[in-house]
């Protein structure tokens, strides 16, 4: 069954019907990179509570796509992934961005950092809201799921507490 969002039906729901993705279309994987707003294999979704933006991890497209709360694609100053698997910086016109290799998990911390489980690069990559790479944390294995305690902020290799009684954690699963 289709899920209806406040602004109309979703263009794609996951196979068991519990996820709802914004107005981007499900891609065929024939265009490399896929068109802006086209999703090939979305694996994780995070919402920025401050502005309603939706962050979608699309591991076959090797990028994080951002949509407004109404489903319009957002163009970041520094795109997070360019549709090609890799590690390092790429240039798209005058824009520089960071390459990803099968990003799976995505979450935002209290400071609105975009935290990505960059699976086949064996790292957690942390980006600013404009998409610029802030820092990375190496992990052994291939990070897939990722979560952070509500109210916590990731800075360098530490999770900064919201208050001292809150058990702050960054949790990363791998496969």
């Amino acid at each position: 069954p289709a899920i209806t969002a406040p602004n109309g039906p979703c263009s794609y729901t996951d196979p068991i019907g519990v996820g709802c993705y914004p107005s981007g279309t499900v891609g065929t994987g024939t265009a490399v990179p896929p068109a802006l707003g086209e999703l090939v294999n979305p694996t994780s979704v995070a919402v920025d509570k401050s502005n309603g933006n939706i962050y979608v991890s699309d591991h076959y497209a090797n990028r994080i796509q951002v949509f407004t709360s109404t489903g319009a694609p957002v163009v970041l100053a520094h795109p997070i992934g360019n549709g090609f698997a890799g590690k390092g910086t790429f240039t798209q016109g005058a824009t520089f961005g960071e390459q990803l290799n099968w990003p799976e998990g995505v979450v935002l911390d209290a400071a609105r950092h975009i935290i990505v489980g960059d699976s086949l690069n064996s790292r957690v990559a942390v980006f600013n809201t404009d998409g610029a790479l802030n820092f990375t944390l190496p992990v052994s294995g291939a990070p897939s799921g990722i979560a952070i305690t509500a109210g916590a902020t990731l800075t360098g290799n530490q999770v900064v507490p919201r208050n001292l009684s809150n058990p702050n954690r960054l949790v990363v699963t791998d496969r």
Side-chain angles (χ1 to χ4, degrees), residues 7 22-23 52 54 67-72:
N7 59 335
S23 64
I54 303 163
F67 297 89
T68 65
S69 60
T70 61

Side-chain angles (χ1 to χ4, degrees), residues 92-146:
Q92 184 175 329
T95 304
F96 291 90
E98 179 68 18
Q99 287 183 285
L100 300 172
N101 196 349
W102 274 48
E104 294 195 28
V106 63
V107 68
L108 275 71
D109 70 6
R112 299 179 55 222
H113 294 123
I114 305 158
I115 304 169
V116 178
D118 190 5
S119 174
L120 295 184
N121 282 331
S122 297
R123 66 181 183 169
V124 172
V126 181
F127 299 90
N128 296 327
T129 55
D130 67 354
L133 181 66
N134 196 350
F135 60 90
T136 63
L137 301 170
V139 297
S140 70
S144 53
I146 192 162

Side-chain angles (χ1 to χ4, degrees), residues 21-127:
Y21 298 96
S23 64
T25 58
V26 177
T28 62
T30 57
V32 178
L36 183 66
E38 182 178 80
L39 302 171
V40 180
N41 191 357
T43 56
S44 182
V45 176
V47 177
D48 184 338
K49 293 179 184 178
S50 71
N51 60 16
N53 281 354
I54 303 163
Y55 295 80
V56 181
S57 174
D58 190 348
H59 79 223
Y60 284 167
N62 296 301
R63 67 182 178 186
I64 303 297
Q65 289 214 66
V66 185
F67 297 89
T68 65
S69 60
T70 61
V74 173
V75 177
L76 297 176
H78 305 275
I80 305 174
N82 66 344
F84 299 95
K87 186 174 184 179
T89 304
F90 70 90
T91 305
Q92 184 175 329
T95 304
F96 291 90
E98 179 68 18
Q99 287 183 285
L100 300 172
N101 196 349
W102 274 48
E104 294 195 28
V106 63
V107 68
L108 275 71
D109 70 6
R112 299 179 55 222
H113 294 123
I114 305 158
I115 304 169
V116 178
D118 190 5
S119 174
L120 295 184
N121 282 331
S122 297
R123 66 181 183 169
V124 172
V126 181
F127 299 90

